[in-house]
């Protein structure tokens, strides 16, 4: 959520800033703006899409050799031009900011007494005036920013320009992602590497508390204590093509169809091997995982649903008790810590504020056996965990997560096998069988994708619906939750998911001809009970849409629509049943004409609590 791009160069950087903002659109935003230095400070802001800001920049013939740009997702103050970034203080000082300043009201009151006038409702404008207030006693802009950020509480990434010091830009981060891009005689900063692939692949990922001075000929970094430090330079492995739409209509569609390749990449170290080793999760994995007595999974949103699915695997295969916690709730209740519990955190971006805070809280309770499952190697979550596993899904641009989810599930199943083997719960024959199933998984996903035309027909019927009910049993109940979430996120059809056995305990009262009931029907131990649940729906005049394994013996009939899947895939069945639910949500959204990749009110990376 929110995005920063900054540049200082010997060329016009307005096109670089605008293109960077376009690459950050997937994060979610409601307004955009930029400020550049060119014989003074010049600012443009607009509500709505980046394309509107680009039109205004072209109309004004705006140019500049240094500048900062921002996409805003409203937290303090409604979406409006007056609340859009950059914000300006006296003497041509401009700032952009991601995150939330928790003590902004106290600082605002102090600054108002000092004579500063506020033009917006944002916490960001407080930072702009605070930096300016330090200029009188500071050596320079760098020193003023360093002193200002030492007063801030909360999460922030900022970039600051001043027309009085046009040859430098100052950036800082605490709790929100920010990186540098290194060029030849030009330097850049951004919230996300994808914004800078147009100009460089050489990246520096900043640590908590870093403050940086950027100049055309180089940069310097100081840490929280004010000491100069070196941070490693990384060569980004992303390509510009990886974040391009290509032949697809939407990024969500592209990412749904990338799942076989993403899962194959995630499992690459396993499918060619004869056995599974703990070191897949880090050099220290064998030591960390030995003696684990229980598992606690911390995650939000789609990642939470991945954790719920993994609980069934971990308890059934590895024989370990497993709890799954919503990360945003975990640290606000009293828990009973177990130093021998494995704490697993899951996040696509690795910058989810609630998940990072939950991990830190668990560690503060003495739970040091930690593992992060994430898609971004340089993310904060990865750096805070003892063990890590990268899902290798590649960039996920669509706000509604698809390939990140299935690769998370693949990683969690692999972890389940490692835990089972470490505990002596996995025979050699079972290990070989599971590896063979994982080898076949990408091909099975391709087969499921071939069902798209049938799913598309169903989606046409959903366009007039206002509500939907999703049912699943056992390990497929979390997949029903994920299917309902996808439909809500992008089609705005209200959807709820229930364990099918709970129908008679309340949800059955909602069932009528206008309430479509989407059901996951694998040929597992609960199939016969599920069939009874389907009869309950039919008897009340409900219309059923069933994704059934080919060998489950469920057939189409009046009021019962069936799409046959492949034969039952055993423990990996939840991964396969996820895909048609993604396709259903996508095509329902297409029929309704919603903004598939940028659903209203939502952001891709939730970096604030």
């Amino acid at each position: 959520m929110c995005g920063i791009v900054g540049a200082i160069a010997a060329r016009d950087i307005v096109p670089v800033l605008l293109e960077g903002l376009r690459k950050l659109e997937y994060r979610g935003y409601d307004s955009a703006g930029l400020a550049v230095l060119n014989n003074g400070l010049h600012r443009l802001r607009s509500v709505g899409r980046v394309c509107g800001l680009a039109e205004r920049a072209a109309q004004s013939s705006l140019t500049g050799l240094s500048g900062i740009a921002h996409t805003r997702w409203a937290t303090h103050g409604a979406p409006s031009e007056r609340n859009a970034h950059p914000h300006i203080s006296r003497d041509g000082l401009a700032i952009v900011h991601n995150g939330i300043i928790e003590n902004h009201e106290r600082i605002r009151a102090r600054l108002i007494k000092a004579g500063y006038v506020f033009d917006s409702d944002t916490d960001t404008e407080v930072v702009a005036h605070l930096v300016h207030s330090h200029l009188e006693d500071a050596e320079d802009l760098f020193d003023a920013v360093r002193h200002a950020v030492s007063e801030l509480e909360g999460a922030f990434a900022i970039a600051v320009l001043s027309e009085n010091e046009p040859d430098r830009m100052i950036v800082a981060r605490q709790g929100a992602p920010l990186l540098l891009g290194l060029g030849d005689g030009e330097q850049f900063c951004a919230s996300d590497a994808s914004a800078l692939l147009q100009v460089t692949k050489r990246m520096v990922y900043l640590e908590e508390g870093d403050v940086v001075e950027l100049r055309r000929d180089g940069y310097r970094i100081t840490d929280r204590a004010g000491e100069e430090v070196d941070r490693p330079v990384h060569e980004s492995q992303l390509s510009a093509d990886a974040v391009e739409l290509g032949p697809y209509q939407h990024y969500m569609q592209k990412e749904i169809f990338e799942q076989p390749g993403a899962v194959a990449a995630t499992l690459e170290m396993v499918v060619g091997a004869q056995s599974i080793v703990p070191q897949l999760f880090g050099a220290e994995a064998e030591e960390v995982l030995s003696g684990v007595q229980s598992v606690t999974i911390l995650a939000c949103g789609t990642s939470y649903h991945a954790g719920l699915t993994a609980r069934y695997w971990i308890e059934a295969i590895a024989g370990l008790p497993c709890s799954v916690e919503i990360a945003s709730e975990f640290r606000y209740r009293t828990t009973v810590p177990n130093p021998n519990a494995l704490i697993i955190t899951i996040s696509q971006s690795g910058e989810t504020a609630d998940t990072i805070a939950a991990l830190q809280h668990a560690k503060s309770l003495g739970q040091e056996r930690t593992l992060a499952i994430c898609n971004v190697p340089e993310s904060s979550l990865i750096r805070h965990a003892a063990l890590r596993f990268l899902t290798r899904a590649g960039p996920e641009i669509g706000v509604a997560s698809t390939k990140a989810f299935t690769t998370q599930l693949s990683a969690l199943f692999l972890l389940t096998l490692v835990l089972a083997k470490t505990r002596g719960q996995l025979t050699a024959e079972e290990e070989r069988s599971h590896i063979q199933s994982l080898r076949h998984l990408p091909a099975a996903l391709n087969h499921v994708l071939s069902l798209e035309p049938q799913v598309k027909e169903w989606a046409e019927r959903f366009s007039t619906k206002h509500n939907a009910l999703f049912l699943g049993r056992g390990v497929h109940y979390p997949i029903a939750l994920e299917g309902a979430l996808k439909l809500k996120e992008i089609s705005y059809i209200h959807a709820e998911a229930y364990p099918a056995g709970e129908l008679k305990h309340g949800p059955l009262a909602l069932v009528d001809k206008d309430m479509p009931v989407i059901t996951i029907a694998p040929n597992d131990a609960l199939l016969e009970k599920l069939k009874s649940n389907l009869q309950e729906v039919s008897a009340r005049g409900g219309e059923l849409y069933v994704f059934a394994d080919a060998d489950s013996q469920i057939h189409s009939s009046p009021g019962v629509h069936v799409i046959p899947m492949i034969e039952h895939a055993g423990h990996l069945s939840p991964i396969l049943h996820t895909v048609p639910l993604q396709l259903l949500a996508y095509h329902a959204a297409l029929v309704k004409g919603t903004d598939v990749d940028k659903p209203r009110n939502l952001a891709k990376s939730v970096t604030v609590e």
Side-chain angles (χ1 to χ4, degrees), residues 6-11 180-189 196 198-204 214-219 233:
I8 182 165
R11 58 170 167 146
L180 309 181
L182 309 183
D184 184 10
E186 53 189 21
Q187 313 298 334
F188 309 91
C189 69
L196 300 182
Q198 55 170 318
V199 289
T200 183
K201 284 195 168 188
R202 299 177 64 230
M203 312 284 184
V204 176
L214 291 175
R215 307 176 309 276
R216 292 178 182 83
D217 60 353
Y219 63 96
V233 178

Side-chain angles (χ1 to χ4, degrees), residues 349-371:
S349 67
E351 302 294 349
T352 306
D354 288 314
T355 305
I356 294 170
L359 172 60
Q360 292 170 334
H361 177 65
K363 291 168 68 175
S364 75
L365 298 176
Q367 299 178 108
E368 296 291 340
R369 299 173 187 255
T370 57
L371 164 66

Side-chain angles (χ1 to χ4, degrees), residues 18-35:
L18 290 170
E19 180 60 21
L21 292 185
R22 291 188 186 99
K23 297 303 183 188
L24 296 178
E25 286 188 292
Y26 75 93
R27 296 168 70 91
Y29 69 103
D30 46 55
S31 57
L34 59 83

Side-chain angles (χ1 to χ4, degrees), residues 74 128 130 166 219 266 270 298 336 364 390 451 457 549 582:
L130 181 63
Y219 63 96
T266 299
V270 179
L298 308 173
V336 182
S364 75
L390 296 174
L451 301 174
E457 287 183 17
D549 286 351
Q582 295 170 347

Side-chain angles (χ1 to χ4, degrees), residues 346-605:
I346 313 170
S347 168
Q348 184 273 328
S349 67
E351 302 294 349
T352 306
D354 288 314
T355 305
I356 294 170
L359 172 60
Q360 292 170 334
H361 177 65
K363 291 168 68 175
S364 75
L365 298 176
Q367 299 178 108
E368 296 291 340
R369 299 173 187 255
T370 57
L371 164 66
I373 294 176
C374 180
N375 192 40
V376 181
E378 303 87 0
S379 63
S380 299
L381 194 66
I382 288 288
R383 293 197 295 269
H384 285 123
L387 304 178
R388 75 285 312 163
F389 189 92
L390 296 174
T391 53
R392 299 181 67 186
E396 189 179 65
I397 307 301
V399 167
S401 181
T402 51
K403 62 177 179 175
F405 180 64
T406 48
T407 53
Q408 286 170 355
L409 290 176
S410 301
L412 287 162
F413 186 75
L414 184 58
L415 174 65
T416 299
L417 300 183
V418 168
L419 289 170
K421 188 174 181 180
T422 301
R423 291 171 48 79
Q425 300 289 313
L426 193 68
T427 68
E429 182 178 351
E430 288 170 335
E431 182 179 10
R432 286 192 296 271
S433 176
H434 286 309
I435 291 174
Q436 182 56 36
S437 296
L438 290 171
R439 287 190 184 120
H440 180 65
L441 184 56
L445 285 167
N446 271 317
H447 181 275
V448 176
L449 286 168
S450 71
L451 301 174
E452 184 183 28
Q454 298 171 63
V455 177
K456 189 175 179 180
E457 287 183 17
W458 282 10
E460 296 281 346
R461 303 175 188 175
F462 276 73
S463 62
T464 60
K465 303 298 182 182
H466 299 289
N467 303 282
L469 190 63
F470 286 70
L471 301 179
R473 295 205 71 146
V475 71
H476 293 85
Y477 165 54
I479 304 306
L481 286 168
E482 176 63 12
L485 176 63
K486 285 293 155 284
L487 192 66
K488 281 185 281 195
E489 283 180 316
I490 62 170
S491 75
Y492 314 145
I493 296 171
H494 174 251
E496 296 295 337
Y498 282 89
E502 286 293 293
L503 261 179
K504 60 181 72 69
H505 296 286
L508 201 57
L510 299 173
V511 171
D512 60 18
K513 61 182 178 60
D514 296 318
M515 173 72 79
V517 180
I518 301 94
T519 306
I520 304 167
N523 186 17
D524 60 12
L526 293 173
L527 178 61
E528 293 307 315
K529 292 185 179 298
L530 179 66
K531 288 181 179 179
S532 297
N533 302 140
L534 300 187
Q535 289 296 326
E536 293 170 351
V537 173
S538 294
R540 274 77 180 178
E543 191 165 16
L544 284 159
Y545 295 82
V546 185
F547 293 102
D549 286 351
D551 48 359
S552 65
Q553 301 301 309
I554 298 177
H555 305 290
S556 296
S557 61
V560 181
H561 313 281
V562 179
I563 292 180
M565 306 272 289
I566 62 174
E567 293 189 354
H568 185 50
H571 290 294
L572 298 180
S573 174
I575 300 176
L576 298 181
H577 277 276
T578 294
V579 176
L581 299 181
Q582 295 170 347
L583 289 169
L584 181 63
Y586 172 72
H587 284 289
L590 281 189
V591 175
K592 289 179 67 70
T594 63
D595 193 340
V596 172
D597 288 332
K598 306 181 189 72
R600 66 190 182 202
N601 304 331
L602 298 180
K604 182 63 177 174
S605 179

